[in-house]
Amino acid sequence: MHVALSGDTNPILGSLISFGCVIVITVIYFFGKRLENVGNDLRTLAYTDSLTGLPNRFMFNETLAEYIKNNTPKEGHLIVVFIDLDDFKKINDNLGHTKGDLLLQLVAERLKGILHKEDFFARLSGDEFALLISRNLSKEELIKYLNHLQSFIN
């Protein structure tokens, strides 16, 4: 390959310069992709609960705000369910935080496995979880669904 730069007719120098440009372009592309990955990693850290892998309070708040912004009361239904584990403090106090963490992970996994695919489930803090249900459920359907979820926690 022969590249002439600034009147230079040396084919070796032209090839090296061309080769160097490919490296620079590749390196810039690599760093750009790496920065994109770092941005994705930071977003995941910012919006994910590190213990359970569920969306966290920040993601819950954004999701709820987005739903409210994009839907009018006539257009959609929104049911917000707060889930709190009774006497969780006793588990931490008597068995230790490691066992308490395992229980939180177990509850999260059990519920993730049976939740409706359209529902949004998040860990707010400690033993507090929240569930957003935007489907149109009757009162009876909702009670049946929530009882079903509760049976998997107990």
Side-chain angles (χ1 to χ4, degrees), residues 49-110:
D49 176 64
S50 61
L51 180 66
T52 62
L54 292 173
N56 64 16
R57 176 183 298 274
F58 299 113
M59 184 62 146
F60 173 81
N61 290 341
E62 282 195 14
T63 302
L64 179 60
E66 192 68 25
Y67 181 85
I68 292 169
K69 176 181 153 189
N70 293 327
N71 294 280
T72 64
K74 291 181 181 179
E75 289 179 321
H77 295 78
L78 181 64
I79 301 162
V80 181
V81 180
F82 293 98
I83 302 166
D84 184 63
L85 304 180
D86 291 337
D87 297 322
F88 182 74
K89 184 179 180 338
K90 290 180 183 176
I91 293 169
N92 274 342
D93 290 346
N94 294 322
L95 301 176
H97 290 275
T98 301
K99 297 289 186 193
D101 287 351
L102 289 172
L103 177 62
L104 292 171
Q105 291 168 335
L106 178 65
V107 167
E109 282 302 313
R110 282 187 176 184

Side-chain angles (χ1 to χ4, degrees), residues 16-74:
L16 289 175
I17 291 172
S18 294
F19 182 70
C21 289
V22 170
I23 290 174
V24 170
I25 291 169
T26 302
V27 168
I28 290 171
Y29 174 77
F30 171 78
F31 283 126
K33 287 307 248 180
R34 182 69 188 128
L35 288 175
E36 182 180 319
N37 292 340
V38 168
N40 291 337
D41 292 346
L42 289 175
R43 180 169 171 73
T44 298
L45 287 172
Y47 291 109
T48 304
D49 176 64
S50 61
L51 180 66
T52 62
L54 292 173
N56 64 16
R57 176 183 298 274
F58 299 113
M59 184 62 146
F60 173 81
N61 290 341
E62 282 195 14
T63 302
L64 179 60
E66 192 68 25
Y67 181 85
I68 292 169
K69 176 181 153 189
N70 293 327
N71 294 280
T72 64
K74 291 181 181 179

